Amino acid sequence: MSEIEARQTDAERRRITPLLPVTDGRDGGLVFTVAVLAFIACLAVIAALAADRAAQGWTSDLSASVTLQVRPKGGDTGPEAAARAAEAVAGVKGVVEARALDRKSAEALLEPWLGKDNIPQDLPLPQLVTVDLDPKAPASLASLNAALATAHLDASVDDRQRWMSDVRRAADLVRLAAVVACLILAAAAGSVIAFATRQGLAARRDVVEVLHLCGAEDQFVANLFMGRFAVLALQASAYGALAAAAGGAGLRLLGGSDGFSPALPIAWQDLAICAGAPILAALVAALSARSAAMAILRAQP
Amino acid sequence: MRYGTSPDVLRDISFSLAPGSFHFLTGASGAGKSSLLKLIYLAQRPSRGEITLFGQDVGRAPRDALPALRRRIGVVFQEFHLLDHLTVFDNAALPLRVTEQRTDLYRSDVSELLQWVGLGARLESYPPTLSGGEKQRLAIARAVVNRPDILLADEPTGNVDHAMALRILRLLVELNRMGATVLIASHDEDLVARSGMPVLHLDDGVLTRQPPRSAPGRDTAPS
């Protein structure tokens, strides 16, 4: 084997060196910033998913039952009227179970306002009937009212629509807040990366100049910066996403089967959302870096 | 030509270089040699006037047409402009790499070229470990690796001793024999005199000496 052939063989074993330096001391701050942005974004999405689940649980609980308030008339006592109302609606299609609340249960409902053992025995309490509905085919308000009218009962049906609309509105707000938070964080990450690209181009002006004079097109140079910052954002946001996933897992473990709290029931599957953060961050970084690089390169002679 | 609002650096310049010719560009420091080379290798645009390269008015050419033109021009910079994080091999192969050619297609050619300029044993070295002469030869290898039609060199012997200067000159003459049009900016009068090549002389931004008009068929006409 000749000397040149031997050197060529050596050269063939070499890996391709990136045209932009792989390590740059100035990248530390950018890695930290992108990692923090990814961490906050992941936590925001995890919290939004948990809040959405809580809101769905509340609305399904509320929509799965209605309450009847029965006003005794004729010779009926309150408990008798309530028992008759429960019996009347129990036969309606779409009702799973109807039960009249006894005085003890009614007192328990008033306890938060009047305190325990502070309710006089002669205080008239509303006669309530709880009706559990079939979640798949719930009885309509009209069919319940018709059954009550047939039994000659004076009762009103509270289907909790007012509460449900409030809960639904709250859930929608939580979803909207999560989307807005993610958009703001993505915009912030994009701005930071665009700024870093400009700094990187300024710092690597020598490399850019040499590449240009060697005949590199703007697209080629911009792609170098795009790839570099996409990889950097991928790595940095992976750190942030891992930290967020670890935090979410910690909250899930602390909270048991309810998640962090009944108001924020984090599920294991929510943590999977963290896997998408690095890909999204890399995409935002790639687009920002490319756009910034092309703007700078086009301004050159 | 002028930079910003400063006075003209070059003015009233008109000359042509025939394909395959070899010229020196001389002049005192600050006379405008580097600025003239920058105009030719398309690092600057003229404030006014016309520069014709390869039959095109490059002063008015759109930006996206310039890379293809630059690939036909090899440049040896006064300060080398080597990339310190790339090996000797990768620095020399840079003009091929920016055109996204496959490494296996040019690997042996680049290694052979580096062997020819005396850097065959330094393929894996990095520029900071090279001597001034080695850097100069690496810069020349990079400038000629894609066989340019024009080779421009800005003070290619400015950082080396006399013996190395002669060796580099012989290298440039050899490249000229292979067909490249060569223009070398130099203030080394002894070297210029020894070469016996025609001279363009700049004096305070004005061309005071230029070669005799060459034969028709010239494709390079900076003015």
Side-chain angles (χ1 to χ4, degrees):
Chain A
M1 186 184 288
S2 72
E3 192 181 0
I4 290 178
E5 283 170 339
R7 288 196 182 111
Q8 283 173 7
T9 308
D10 284 344
E12 281 158 13
R13 283 198 289 267
R14 300 164 57 253
R15 65 182 182 83
I16 304 277
T17 315
L19 289 178
L20 290 179
V22 179
T23 54
D24 192 326
R26 290 165 290 232
D27 291 343
L30 181 63
V31 169
F32 179 75
T33 307
V34 174
V36 168
L37 288 171
F39 175 75
I40 297 169
C42 287
L43 283 188
V45 175
I46 290 171
L49 288 173
D52 186 52
R53 182 176 300 104
Q56 280 181 3
W58 295 335
T59 51
S60 67
D61 285 352
L62 286 171
S63 60
S65 67
V66 296
T67 304
L68 311 180
Q69 186 177 352
V70 185
R71 289 171 289 276
K73 67 178 184 180
D76 282 349
T77 62
E80 284 170 354
R84 281 211 304 124
E87 197 180 327
V89 297
V92 176
K93 194 178 177 188
V95 172
V96 177
E97 189 186 3
R99 56 190 181 281
L101 290 187
D102 57 17
R103 184 172 177 87
K104 200 175 169 185
S105 302
E107 283 179 359
L109 289 173
L110 293 172
E111 205 175 283
W113 290 273
L114 301 178
K116 199 173 185 182
D117 301 329
N118 285 339
I119 302 171
Q121 281 303 310
D122 56 348
L123 181 72
L125 296 181
Q127 298 300 318
L128 302 175
V129 176
T130 299
V131 182
D132 293 339
L133 304 176
D134 181 355
K136 289 177 183 166
S140 68
L141 209 59
S143 63
L144 294 174
N145 278 325
L148 292 167
T150 306
H152 303 290
L153 286 161
D154 179 13
S156 53
V157 182
D158 178 9
D159 64 354
R160 302 166 185 176
Q161 280 302 319
R162 192 167 63 83
W163 296 100
M164 281 173 57
S165 65
D166 285 348
V167 170
R168 283 200 188 102
R169 198 178 306 121
D172 288 345
L173 274 175
V174 167
R175 288 188 201 106
L176 183 66
V179 169
V180 169
C182 288
L183 286 176
I184 290 171
L185 288 165
S191 302
V192 167
I193 288 160
F195 177 74
T197 305
R198 288 192 190 95
Q199 295 291 97
L201 273 165
R204 295 285 163 207
R205 190 168 290 278
D206 54 340
V207 179
V208 174
E209 189 182 2
V210 171
L211 292 174
H212 257 159
L213 293 175
C214 286
E217 293 177 345
D218 288 349
Q219 303 262 3
F220 180 87
V221 180
N223 285 346
L224 292 178
F225 282 88
M226 183 175 81
R228 174 178 172 71
F229 284 104
V231 170
L232 191 144
L234 188 77
Q235 291 172 337
S237 57
Y239 299 144
L242 273 175
L251 293 176
R252 177 70 179 79
L253 288 171
L254 284 174
S257 58
D258 283 339
F260 180 50
S261 79
L264 210 59
I266 295 170
W268 288 115
Q269 63 264 30
D270 294 348
L271 306 184
I273 199 76
C274 296
I279 296 163
L280 191 63
L283 196 64
V284 170
L287 292 175
S288 303
R290 182 176 173 74
S291 159
M294 285 301 283
I296 294 166
L297 293 169
R298 284 194 190 113
Q300 293 193 347
Chain B
M1 179 209 166
R2 64 161 67 103
Y3 295 101
T5 56
S6 62
D8 285 347
V9 178
L10 299 169
R11 59 189 179 280
D12 302 330
I13 289 179
S14 180
F15 68 95
S16 299
L17 299 179
S21 62
F22 191 119
H23 291 84
F24 276 100
L25 177 63
T26 60
S29 182
K33 300 190 295 295
S34 297
S35 295
L36 181 56
L37 291 186
K38 279 182 183 174
L39 286 174
I40 303 173
Y41 63 69
L42 309 174
Q44 292 288 338
R45 300 256 191 172
S47 316
R48 58 181 184 274
E50 192 176 283
I51 300 175
T52 304
L53 285 176
F54 316 118
Q56 290 185 54
D57 179 3
V58 295
R60 292 181 184 80
R63 276 198 84 245
D64 56 8
L66 299 185
L69 295 170
R70 286 183 180 125
R71 288 171 198 165
R72 299 179 67 182
I73 305 168
V75 187
V76 183
F77 301 98
Q78 189 171 7
E79 301 300 328
F80 314 129
H81 287 329
L82 301 172
L83 301 184
D84 287 349
H85 65 284
L86 297 183
T87 61
V88 165
F89 179 91
D90 285 327
N91 265 289
L94 202 55
L96 303 171
R97 204 163 153 190
V98 299
T99 58
E100 302 184 68
Q101 291 187 39
R102 279 171 43 199
T103 315
D104 56 327
L105 295 180
Y106 61 72
R107 186 176 280 131
S108 60
D109 287 347
V110 174
S111 299
E112 208 168 309
L113 173 64
L114 287 167
Q115 183 79 15
W116 185 61
V117 297
L119 292 172
R122 307 297 303 267
L123 295 184
E124 299 302 310
S125 301
Y126 288 87
T129 66
L130 302 180
S131 68
E134 287 173 325
K135 285 179 183 174
Q136 194 68 274
R137 282 178 279 147
L138 174 55
I140 291 170
R142 185 183 63 189
V144 303
V145 72
N146 60 352
R147 302 176 190 200
D149 296 313
I150 300 176
L151 177 63
L152 306 173
D154 194 359
E155 302 286 1
T157 57
N159 297 289
V160 295
D161 59 33
H162 190 68
M164 180 57 71
L166 286 175
R167 191 172 163 190
I168 287 171
L169 181 62
R170 278 197 292 272
L171 194 59
L172 294 172
V173 169
E174 185 63 27
L175 291 166
N176 173 244
R177 281 193 189 128
M178 291 164 72
T181 304
V182 179
L183 179 63
I184 301 172
S186 177
H187 65 267
D188 187 342
E189 290 179 10
D190 181 51
L191 189 77
V192 173
R194 270 171 177 262
S195 73
M197 297 294 185
V199 173
L200 292 92
H201 186 79
L202 276 173
D203 192 1
D204 197 19
V206 177
L207 201 60
T208 56
R209 192 185 346 158
Q210 58 179 298
R213 289 282 174 186
S214 51
R218 66 180 70 106
D219 67 346
T220 314
S223 59

